[in-house]
Each structure stands twice: as C-alpha cells, then as structure tokens.
Amino acid sequence: MSSSSIDGKYIDLAVHPNNSNLLAVTSVGGVYLSEDGGQSFKLLTERKQGIGVYFTENTLYYSTFDGSPSLVSYGLKNQEKTVNNLPELGKDAPMDISQTPKS
C-alpha cells in the first residue's frame, strides 16, 4: 500500500468483497479509495477525519468527524455521495459499519 498519498495515521481499512483491487482507508486526514490494489489512493473527503469504512457490492460506506459525525454512501459506479441520516451522537461517530446478512 502506498502510504505517501494518505495523510495521517490509519484508522480503518476495508477491502471490497469481490474485487481486491478496491481498498478504502480512513485516517486522521480523510477517507481514501484505491482502485488499483493500493498502488495509489484518491481522497474522497474534504480533510475530515475518517472513522469507519465498509464495502457492499456497489457502495462504499464511510463515516467522518469534523465537529459533528456524518455517514456517507459513495456509489462505486456513479461516484455519487449521499449523506445518510444519523441519530444524535454528540461527539461520537460510527466506527463499525456492517450489513445484516440476507437469510
């Protein structure tokens, strides 16, 4: 993994469930996405502290904190970002992001 493009200490890491070339890293400097197995990373956030990160087949979910928490879904195909509603968390942000498996 090329750490030269990632700002600050790593906090979380996720690998796409079906495409090992897709990696996401959160750090104190933001949320980063790699589409080439970690050879290079692009910053997805505006210098907010990245907290948690999770992939589904078509979406990357990540949480950030910049005075208040946020949870964003990022479309892997269309690169659209959607801010999801969160309950009042005060000075906390979602760290562990997961999905309930289908029965």
Side-chain angles (χ1 to χ4, degrees):
M1 180 179 345
S2 173
S3 62
S4 62
S5 57
I6 297 175
D7 182 27
K9 183 178 176 182
Y10 299 173
I11 296 172
D12 200 8
L13 167 78
V15 179
H16 189 275
N18 297 314
N19 182 350
S20 61
N21 282 322
L22 292 175
L23 306 173
V25 174
T26 61
S27 78
V28 295
V31 178
Y32 297 83
L33 176 65
S34 174
E35 299 175 326
D36 58 12
Q39 297 300 311
S40 62
F41 286 86
K42 67 179 177 180
L43 181 65
L44 297 180
T45 58
E46 296 177 10
R47 299 294 174 188
K48 298 178 181 180
Q49 180 173 336
I51 306 293
V53 66
Y54 178 80
F55 280 104
T56 63
E57 183 63 35
N58 298 310
T59 307
L60 170 65
Y61 293 92
Y62 61 84
S63 60
T64 62
F65 190 83
D66 184 22
S68 63
S70 69
L71 177 63
V72 175
S73 53
Y74 175 81
L76 296 172
K77 293 182 181 177
N78 60 16
Q79 300 180 346
E80 289 184 17
K81 296 178 186 177
T82 303
V83 177
N84 299 279
N85 293 327
L86 288 172
E88 177 58 41
L89 297 175
K91 297 290 183 184
D92 291 323
M95 175 65 188
D96 295 318
I97 305 169
S98 63
Q99 182 178 26
T100 304
K102 294 179 181 178
S103 300

